[in-house]
């Protein structure tokens, strides 16, 4: 395994940073205070051609792997926008994976170009209040009605539903079978019809720029032509995209942690107490060094998972490990960085 970036991969990192360079701390602070989707940022990424980094070339994408996508998302998350920046574009990167793998040629031609060029923002309607991570127990149902399905039910924690034109929807089309609980769930990609889908924003303590929502479906009509693959196999299609998603989240978490450590180290060099920079004190140095080491280990784990995925090898254990290690390391790094800032960390 080569631990360095190729010239092409380094060019991706440099190109992404150049694309988003004008969106600095002031931009993201305003978005965090006022809310509102970062449309300018989203369109800048789309106009740069980055949304299609892992999508097929014949539909306008770059046809690259999850390694390159992870490098791109790390550059975005580490730019100062943190999870707000990453979340505004994350869904377009591997969210359409089920379409690529299991969609018909007509579906790919109808949907992928718009997702790649930024015409469509998509949301992911899977989680439900009473099911949580036990996805096979979701209750939202899609009942066949001629050439359509009629959808009834409720979803929660659906990001970007306030602004999304399209929804990736998992719904029950058949009864749950305890012997094979993954059966009976179908996956749809369709217009989010707000006449029959009521979207309610959930107020949060952070990431105000990217909305989280409950969606109540009350008879929303979905064309059968918008069902991805076979009826009843949607859950299996969905889980195939989870490993790359976990790798991307891991890369984002590491990048956020590294940005926090960088900011804390810069502050520690400038802030003087008792006539010396606080960064000269081991009580400041050691927590930051510990966080740096944990982030580096998590990054290597994420890159190994990406390497396995791009080779076509099993990577479930590695992808889950990377996400866990990176989330823990990123969170701890941010806590350490806030502590370095003392009272100003709270401000």
């Amino acid at each position: 395994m080569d631990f360095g970036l190729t010239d092409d991969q380094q060019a991706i990192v440099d190109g992404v940073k150049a694309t988003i360079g004008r969106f600095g701390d002031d931009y993201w602070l305003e978005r965090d205070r006022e809310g509102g989707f970062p449309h300018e940022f989203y369109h800048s990424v789309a106009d740069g051609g980055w949304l299609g980094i892992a999508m097929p070339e014949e539909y306008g994408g770059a046809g690259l792997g999850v390694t390159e996508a992870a490098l791109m998302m790390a550059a975005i998350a580490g730019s100062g926008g943190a999870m707000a920046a990453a979340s505004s574009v994350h869904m377009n990167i591997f969210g359409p994976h089920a379409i690529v793998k299991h969609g018909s040629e007509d579906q790919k031609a109808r949907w992928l170009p718009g997702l790649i060029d930024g015409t469509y923002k998509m949301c992911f309607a899977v989680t439900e209040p009473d099911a949580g991570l036990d996805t096979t127990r979701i209750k939202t149902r899609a009942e066949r009605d001629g050439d359509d399905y009629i959808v009834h039910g409720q979803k929660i924690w659906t990001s970007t539903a306030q602004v999304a034109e399209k929804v990736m929807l998992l719904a029950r089309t058949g009864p749950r079978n305890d012997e094979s609980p993954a059966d009976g769930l179908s996956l749809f990609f369709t217009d989010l019809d707000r006449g029959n889908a009521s979207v309610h924003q959930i107020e949060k303590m952070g990431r105000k720029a990217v909305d989280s929502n409950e969606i109540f479906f009350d008879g929303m009509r979905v064309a059968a032509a918008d069902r991805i693959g076979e009826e009843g196999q949607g859950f299996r299609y969905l889980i195939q995209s989870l490993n790359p998603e976990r790798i991307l989240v891991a890369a984002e978490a590491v990048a956020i942690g590294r940005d926090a450590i960088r900011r804390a180290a810069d502050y520690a060099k400038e802030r003087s107490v008792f006539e010396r920079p606080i960064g000269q004190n081991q009580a400041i140095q050691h927590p930051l060094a510990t966080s740096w080491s944990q982030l580096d280990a998590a990054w290597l784990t994420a890159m190994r998972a990406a390497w396995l995925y791009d080779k076509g090898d099993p990577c479930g254990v590695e992808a889950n490990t990377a996400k866990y290690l990176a989330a823990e390391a990123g969170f701890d790094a941010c806590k350490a960085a806030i502590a370095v800032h003392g009272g100003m960390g709270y401000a």
Side-chain angles (χ1 to χ4, degrees):
M1 184 188 300
D2 187 345
F3 291 94
L5 299 184
T6 67
D7 291 343
D8 287 343
Q9 289 171 338
Q10 187 61 55
I12 288 171
V13 174
D14 295 341
V16 173
K17 288 181 177 180
T19 298
I20 63 176
R22 64 188 179 93
F23 300 96
D25 290 352
D26 291 343
Y27 176 83
W28 291 112
L29 183 59
E30 182 180 7
R31 295 275 60 75
D32 190 57
R33 286 174 170 168
E34 299 182 5
F37 188 83
H39 291 284
E40 307 93 339
F41 177 83
Y42 173 87
H43 287 298
S44 180
V45 174
D47 292 344
W50 299 111
L51 292 183
I53 190 167
M55 294 293 106
E57 294 180 80
E58 57 265 39
Y59 300 103
L64 300 176
V66 72
T67 300
E68 288 75 20
L71 293 171
M72 166 191 160
M73 294 309 299
I76 288 174
S79 68
M83 216 57 189
S87 298
S88 69
V89 299
H90 179 109
M91 191 53 62
N92 282 56
I93 307 304
F94 263 93
H97 187 70
I99 300 171
V100 174
K101 291 294 186 181
H102 302 285
S104 67
E105 290 304 316
D106 173 71
Q107 290 173 334
K108 294 175 187 179
R110 282 197 290 135
W111 299 330
L112 292 181
L115 290 169
I116 291 168
D117 67 17
T119 300
Y120 301 141
K121 300 181 191 71
M122 65 174 287
C123 60
F124 210 55
V126 176
T127 304
E128 297 187 5
D130 297 328
L133 293 176
D134 192 358
T135 306
T136 64
R137 294 189 182 276
I138 65 171
K139 298 177 181 177
T140 297
R141 64 189 190 278
E143 299 173 344
R144 192 66 183 253
D145 181 30
D147 292 332
D148 296 334
Y149 290 86
I150 309 298
V151 179
H152 294 272
Q154 180 183 359
K155 298 292 182 180
I156 196 169
W157 298 120
T158 304
S159 295
T160 70
Q162 292 289 329
V163 297
E165 294 85 12
K166 297 286 188 178
V167 58
M168 182 80 77
L169 171 68
L170 187 69
R172 183 161 292 286
T173 51
R176 188 179 189 276
N177 180 351
D178 288 337
E179 294 183 0
S180 184
D183 291 341
L185 296 171
S186 297
L187 194 61
F188 302 88
F189 188 78
T190 191
D191 294 336
L192 182 56
D193 176 9
R194 297 173 190 274
N196 293 286
S198 180
V199 180
H200 299 271
Q201 187 166 348
I202 301 170
E203 293 293 332
K204 310 186 299 295
M205 291 191 291
R207 207 192 69 171
K208 193 174 182 180
V210 180
D211 50 273
S212 299
N213 305 274
E214 290 183 278
I215 305 180
F216 298 86
F217 296 98
D218 185 18
M220 190 178 87
R221 188 172 289 272
V222 179
D226 289 348
R227 188 192 71 228
I228 299 171
E230 296 181 34
E231 184 176 271
Q233 297 300 305
F235 182 74
R236 292 182 172 86
Y237 303 154
L238 183 65
I239 61 175
Q240 292 174 7
S241 66
L242 294 185
N243 284 335
E245 289 286 350
R246 287 165 180 147
I247 294 167
L248 297 191
V249 170
E252 294 160 11
V254 169
I256 291 169
R258 285 176 168 172
D259 190 42
I261 295 300
R262 177 189 62 79
R263 292 168 185 266
D266 289 345
Y267 181 79
K269 295 173 185 176
E270 298 170 358
R271 170 67 168 161
S272 291
V273 178
F274 299 113
E275 299 183 347
R276 60 187 250 144
I278 63 173
Q280 292 183 8
N281 300 318
Q282 289 184 337
I284 297 294
Q285 296 171 356
H286 287 180
L288 296 182
T290 297
S291 288
W292 187 94
S293 301
Q294 292 169 339
L295 290 165
D296 200 46
W299 178 256
L300 291 174
T301 304
M303 289 296 97
R304 180 169 183 266
W307 175 70
L308 289 169
Y309 181 88
D310 288 339
K311 284 176 59 183
D313 292 343
C315 67
V317 172
E318 291 80 6
N320 280 278
T321 301
K323 183 180 178 183
Y324 171 75
L325 291 176
E328 291 287 310
F331 186 76
D332 289 344
C334 290
K335 287 197 299 180
I338 290 173
V340 168
H341 283 74
M344 293 308 295
Y346 188 64

